[in-house]
Every structure is written in C-alpha cells, then in structure tokens.
Amino acid sequence: MLSRRHFLLGALALGLSAGCRGGRDRILNFYNWSNYIALNTIGDFEKESGIRVNYEEFSSADVSFAKLKIGVTGYDLIVAPGYMVRRMMRHDLLYPLGPELSLPEFLPHIEAPPFDPEQKYSAPYLWGTTGIGYNARKIRNAPASWSLLWEQSLAKRITILDEKRDAIGVALFKLGLDPNSVDPGELQLAKKELLKQRPLVRRYTSDFTDDLIRGETWAALGWSGDVAQAQDSNPDIRYILPEEGSFLFVDSLVVPRSAPHPEAALEFINYFFRPEVCRDITNATGYANPVAASKPLVRPELIDNNLGYPPDEVLSNLHYQEDVGEYESVWDDLWAEVKR
C-alpha cells in the first residue's frame, strides 16, 4: 500500500515535458501527495473540463518546496501543508487566487487557518491529524500518551515518520513544550528524547502502513487517513490522539507564481469544492475535506471518529504546525543528527 507521502518516480520528466510544450491543448500540471485523491477525480475532471491533467506525486513537502525555490517551473497546482504554505508566501512563490474562486462554506476550524487566514494564496484540500496507529492484538491497554513510542518493550516494533516537523514536534509534546518551539534549549531537550527513542525504532519512514498491516510494526507515528486505510485491511489497528496534544494539519491547494496554466488550476479548485467531488476523495483516502456541505455525504464511520472528523472536544486539543522561519535549518540539523 502506498502512503500519502510515497514518491512516484519518473512522472516529472513525462508530465512536465508534455505540459510545457504549448499548443492548443488545455493542460493542468498537478503535484500532490500520493494516494491522496479518488481514483475517479482526475478522469472525471478531464472529461468535464476538456483539460488534460499531468499528475505527479511526491514524498516530502521539503522536496516540493526545494524545487520551487531553485526555480523548477511547470507546476500549475501543488498540495502543501500549512507551514509550507507560509514558507512559500514568505518567499513570494505563490499566485494570489483572486475572485475567480467560488469559496463554499468551510467547517468552522478550517475557515481562517493561521498560515493564511484570509485564504488569499491557498485553498484547503484535505485535513487530518497526527497520532499513533497501533496493533491492539500486540499492545494491550495502550496509554493515550506519546510515551507509548518510547516504550522499551516495543523495541524494533516502532516506526517514526520521516518528517522532522512531526517527529520533533511529538518529542516537544511529550515534554509539555510548544510543538513549534524555536527555543534552543527546548530543541536540545527534544533531541535528547529522540536519541533515547532511536534504539527502539524499527525504521524512520513515511510509508508505514504496510508494516502496520502485516504486524511488523506494532506502533507507528502516523497520519489519521493512512491509519484509517491500514485499519480497512487489518481490523486490529487502532488510533490514539495523545492527551498531551497533537497536530491538526490542513493540506492546501496552491498555485505557484510560475504556473503556466493558472486558469486551469483555479478551474480544478472550483471543481474540487463541489460536495460530491470532495466526498469521493474523503471516502477514498480516509482524510476529511473542508467543505461543510460534504460532511453529511461521507462514510458515516468517519464522523465523530478520530480517524476522520474528530469531535469538538478533541479538536480543541490540536495544534497547527507553524512556519519556524529562520530556524528551519536548526530543525533540519537536529533531525539529521537524530537519524545519523
């Protein structure tokens, strides 16, 4: 099973070269996390709009940002996490979406995200949480705490996301600190926690679902929708949102300033906002969508469920990942030292 963040090799050369040749064809070059769309979405959009979609997938938000930062052009539409949207705005890499969009009514906690409260440069796509997926057959009476990922009895049965913002953030949560901290002393404490954890880790990977399904991993730092997909294949899988707090993420649709076909990107965003279109994507991926009118249409087992649409009392204990600005390199170095 592919995870939300598994790289599809070879698509860049095929997709962008086709998309940049010009001609009368209407084209959209779309760059997204993997397994993060319904099987029918692209085909239905192409059929209705007459726009040909070159669809590429990536494994890391840092990879997509780096491509834009060094001047790789050709992308029309990119899915980016909130903190990355803020970084892209800071580097003036995004096209303002403007009045061409027909914004629907969003769920209350999605209406004004802190990374782009006026939603001038980003349109919400899918959202979810970071927590612990675990095998209830292997782990009895699992605590609702991040301490589970430091449990000595689980040595070499733990996987940790290969995403510094999630992994370091979890260590900060466990310590009762700000999960977006840029305080050098607090980051050193987080590093010590992660170094304690390192001997227990089977592997650092964003593709954790197969390991969890097969029982090779008993506890995984993971994203809600991916854990929901694992649960579909293995009913012993459960999901914890720890009591110390956790992350709420909103992945957004953004249009690079260098986009050759921004009008096609805006047309897709308006198409996505239809309740039945985003319903299909939620039902396929397990990740909630932001459109209020779509919520009653999705699979009922996702409602008031931490794997889909958590109840309000759970949402109140969740935090957005923030742009750490000039401290990004500090976080990079810390994560590299942990994995060394």
Side-chain angles (χ1 to χ4, degrees):
M1 177 184 293
L2 291 175
S3 124
R4 169 177 175 245
R5 307 187 177 189
H6 180 84
F7 190 57
L8 183 64
L9 295 173
L12 177 61
L14 293 174
L16 292 187
S17 62
C20 295
R21 280 198 295 266
R24 291 183 295 177
D25 287 346
R26 300 182 69 204
I27 292 169
L28 173 67
N29 297 315
F30 188 6
Y31 198 27
N32 193 3
W33 299 110
S34 73
N35 204 29
Y36 212 37
I37 200 164
L39 292 176
N40 62 304
T41 306
I42 297 298
D44 288 353
F45 174 71
E46 289 181 319
K47 183 177 180 181
E48 177 179 316
S49 67
I51 295 172
R52 178 162 56 88
V53 179
N54 298 314
Y55 188 74
E56 183 191 347
E57 299 177 327
F58 59 85
S59 61
S60 166
D62 287 329
V63 171
S64 62
F65 175 78
K67 286 185 176 181
L68 287 181
K69 185 78 183 304
I70 65 174
V72 173
T73 59
Y75 299 117
D76 300 305
L77 188 63
I78 296 175
V79 176
Y83 74 91
M84 191 61 69
V85 172
R86 173 59 68 179
R87 285 181 70 190
M88 290 175 173
M89 290 169 61
R90 186 157 44 84
H91 289 272
D92 197 27
L93 295 174
L94 298 182
Y95 178 91
L97 300 182
E100 295 90 345
L101 289 187
S102 301
L103 296 179
E105 179 185 352
F106 293 133
L107 295 170
H109 58 287
I110 307 295
E111 285 179 334
F115 53 86
D116 185 14
E118 297 179 2
Q119 295 178 323
K120 182 178 179 182
Y121 293 95
S122 63
Y125 178 61
L126 297 179
W127 62 275
T129 60
T130 302
I132 303 172
Y134 74 98
N135 188 320
R137 186 179 292 272
K138 305 293 186 180
I139 302 174
R140 307 285 184 177
N141 302 315
S145 171
W146 290 117
S147 63
L148 180 62
L149 297 179
W150 276 261
E151 174 56 53
Q152 294 291 325
S153 64
L154 300 182
K156 300 305 180 184
R157 295 293 187 177
I158 294 170
T159 56
I160 299 297
L161 291 171
D162 192 8
E163 290 283 340
K164 65 178 184 291
R165 295 306 307 269
D166 293 291
I168 299 172
V170 163
L172 290 165
F173 273 125
K174 180 174 180 285
L175 293 165
L177 300 172
D178 178 0
N180 297 295
S181 179
V182 295
D183 179 271
E186 293 180 350
L187 290 174
Q188 284 303 307
L189 290 174
K191 176 182 170 182
K192 288 180 181 179
E193 286 295 312
L194 292 169
L195 290 174
K196 287 181 199 173
Q197 182 191 63
R198 186 170 64 182
L200 310 177
V201 176
R202 181 170 175 267
R203 63 185 183 127
Y204 296 98
T205 178
S206 298
D207 302 325
F208 63 90
T209 50
D210 281 343
D211 293 0
L212 198 56
I213 291 166
R214 291 192 296 259
E216 296 167 0
T217 291
W218 295 359
L221 175 61
W223 300 295
S224 53
D226 283 17
V227 177
Q229 293 170 37
Q231 190 178 70
D232 287 342
S233 298
N234 183 342
D236 292 327
I237 303 303
R238 303 287 186 274
Y239 185 64
I240 294 170
L241 283 173
E243 59 192 8
E244 298 97 333
S246 190
F247 286 124
L248 166 73
F249 59 80
V250 177
D251 288 337
S252 295
L253 295 161
V254 298
V255 181
R257 279 198 180 274
S258 59
H261 316 105
E263 70 292 335
L266 295 174
E267 192 165 338
F268 180 88
I269 296 173
N270 281 328
Y271 176 78
F272 165 75
F273 282 150
R274 295 182 192 175
E276 67 277 10
V277 173
C278 51
R279 170 207 62 197
D280 288 349
I281 296 176
T282 290
N283 286 345
T285 64
Y287 285 99
N289 73 70
V291 178
S294 179
K295 184 177 177 180
L297 307 179
V298 305
R299 291 186 282 149
E301 62 268 25
L302 293 176
I303 305 301
D304 291 328
N305 184 319
N306 288 349
L307 281 172
Y309 293 76
D312 289 343
E313 61 270 21
V314 174
L315 289 172
S316 66
N317 198 32
L318 301 178
H319 303 254
Y320 281 98
Q321 291 178 347
E322 299 172 4
D323 175 25
V324 294
E326 63 187 31
Y327 289 90
E328 190 74 32
S329 62
V330 176
W331 280 64
D332 284 336
D333 292 344
L334 191 160
W335 187 230
E337 289 178 42
V338 168
K339 295 198 302 173
R340 184 175 301 157

